[in-house]
Amino acid sequence: MDKIIFLAALFIIAGIFWWLGRRVCRACEAANLTDWGSVWLNRLDGLNRLFCTRYHRLIYDPIALPEQGAALLVANHISGLDPLLMAAATRRPLRFMIAREEYQRFGLTWLFRAMGCIPVERERRPEQALREALRVLNKGEVVALFPQGGLHLETAPAPKLKRGVFKLAELTGSAIYPVRVEGVTGHGHVVRAVLLRSRARMINFAPLATASIDQHEHLTRLLNGNRD
């Protein structure tokens, strides 16, 4: 009799978990706005949007990327939450350029590979990542990157932007779409920023159609918070 009760309890618990799982999947499917080319990635997209808008209370206007064709999406880099916020604010898949050490972070490489992220070896062969980004842009995809390099605290001196984004823009004729991330509680941290609840904001700026020196200075001011 005890065995029957135990099995019945297991069956009920399994049924509850199955029901909850279906509810979560449906909620993720309803929130999904980007076609990543697979069902489970699309569900993760919906989950990320719910996570960013409900938990991190993200306030944003959708990033006005072109519906088709190549584009470069750039942002300031204050935390490990930044890529999640950027993905939640657009309807196109983003091919993030990320540091090799982050790409190889334990338990996440499979996800970065599935998303088509481009690992960058900053010290040894950064040109390999640029070649891959160039190939992706020539296919008409969107490359997302952080031209400030590593994490940059708002209280630190303004960093010089890496030249890679301008080189990619020059070689492909792609417009640069700048956004600025603000309001992240765990700024300066990777995992902590994802876990601590924020009042995140994303500010969009007009795209830069050329890669001139003036535009370089203009982009530097936008990403560093000086919008004059």
Side-chain angles (χ1 to χ4, degrees):
M1 186 67 178
D2 290 342
K3 186 176 180 180
I4 294 174
I5 294 174
F6 176 72
L7 291 175
L10 282 181
F11 180 78
I12 292 171
I13 291 171
I16 291 173
F17 275 102
W18 178 86
W19 178 79
L20 289 174
R22 287 300 301 161
R23 289 288 299 271
V24 171
C25 282
R26 287 179 184 145
C28 292
E29 289 167 357
N32 167 236
L33 295 176
T34 298
D35 183 6
W36 287 84
S38 78
V39 172
W40 67 271
L41 275 179
N42 288 349
R43 286 174 177 165
L44 283 178
D45 176 83
L47 179 62
N48 179 59
R49 291 175 193 277
L50 293 173
F51 178 65
C52 291
T53 56
R54 303 286 180 84
Y55 183 71
H56 285 290
R57 297 172 283 193
L58 173 62
I59 298 174
Y60 71 100
D61 291 323
I63 301 171
L65 295 171
E67 293 185 8
Q68 294 181 335
L72 288 156
L73 177 62
V74 301
N76 60 319
H77 200 14
I78 58 174
S79 75
L81 183 63
D82 305 341
L84 303 185
L85 300 176
M86 292 166 71
T90 180
R91 296 196 174 197
R92 291 190 62 183
L94 304 178
R95 299 286 297 271
F96 283 97
M97 297 184 73
I98 62 176
R100 170 69 69 175
E101 59 269 23
E102 294 299 329
Y103 186 86
Q104 295 176 332
R105 187 178 284 271
F106 177 75
L108 291 177
T109 302
W110 64 273
L111 177 59
F112 295 146
R113 184 180 294 115
M115 292 175 60
C117 293
I118 302 171
V120 181
E121 295 193 35
R122 300 175 187 167
E123 303 300 327
R124 292 193 294 172
R125 295 187 295 274
E127 68 280 357
Q128 289 186 350
L130 285 176
R131 283 197 294 268
E132 176 61 15
L134 191 62
R135 185 187 69 82
V136 167
L137 289 167
N138 286 329
K139 287 176 57 181
E141 299 186 50
V142 180
V143 171
L145 64 161
F146 302 99
Q148 291 176 335
L151 297 183
H152 170 65
L153 291 175
E154 300 293 309
T155 54
K160 292 184 178 179
L161 302 187
K162 306 293 184 182
R163 298 290 306 179
V165 61
F166 294 97
K167 187 171 183 179
L168 290 171
E170 290 171 358
L171 292 174
T172 63
S174 304
I176 301 172
Y177 290 77
V179 298
R180 179 172 166 79
V181 177
E182 298 179 348
V184 176
T185 299
H187 58 87
H189 300 274
V190 178
V191 178
R192 184 179 176 186
V194 176
L195 298 178
L196 295 179
R197 198 177 191 197
S198 300
R199 290 190 178 275
R201 299 181 302 278
M202 183 167 291
I203 302 167
N204 303 341
F205 303 104
L208 311 182
T210 62
S212 66
I213 295 297
D214 290 341
Q215 295 289 35
H216 182 281
E217 295 175 356
H218 180 51
L219 182 61
T220 300
R221 289 195 298 271
L222 294 180
L223 298 189
N224 290 330
N226 182 354
R227 303 169 206 169
D228 297 331

